[in-house]
């Protein structure tokens, strides 16, 4: 995932792992599942900010999406 994205940008997420993962944010309103070795796309939030996300399958997998 890029360090920051423009508001409303389309983001492509690649999963190079052998397990499915998600990019899930409660406050950002996104929740995308990415299949093993697969890609998925999502729209960035339209409001600038830092959006924490987690993998809903693996609670220890976290990150932050910066929209600016
Ligand atoms: Cu995961």
């Amino acid at each position: 995932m890029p360090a920051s994205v423009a508001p409303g940008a389309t983001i492509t997420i690649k999963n190079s792992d052998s397990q499915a993962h998600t990019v899930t944010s409660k406050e950002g309103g996104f929740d995308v599942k990415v299949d093993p070795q697969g890609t998925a796309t999502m729209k960035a939030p339209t409001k600038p900010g830092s959006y924490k996300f987690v993998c809903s399958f693996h609670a220890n997998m976290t990150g932050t999406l910066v929209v600016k």
Side-chain angles (χ1 to χ4, degrees), residues 15 17 19-23 34 54-61:
N15 180 2
D17 197 16
Q19 299 183 64
H21 298 291
T22 75
V23 179
V34 194
V54 299
C55 172
S56 44
F57 302 136
H58 311 102
N60 62 318
M61 299 180 73

Side-chain angles (χ1 to χ4, degrees), residues 8-61:
T10 299
I11 303 168
T12 301
I13 303 156
K14 184 170 188 288
N15 180 2
S16 304
D17 197 16
S18 57
Q19 299 183 64
H21 298 291
T22 75
V23 179
T24 303
S25 167
K26 287 193 175 78
E27 71 269 27
F30 52 87
D31 182 14
V32 185
K33 180 174 171 238
V34 194
D35 291 327
Q37 304 297 330
T39 58
T41 59
M42 61 171 255
K43 285 261 192 237
T46 54
K47 199 171 150 221
S50 290
Y51 296 89
K52 289 194 164 53
F53 59 84
V54 299
C55 172
S56 44
F57 302 136
H58 311 102
N60 62 318
M61 299 180 73

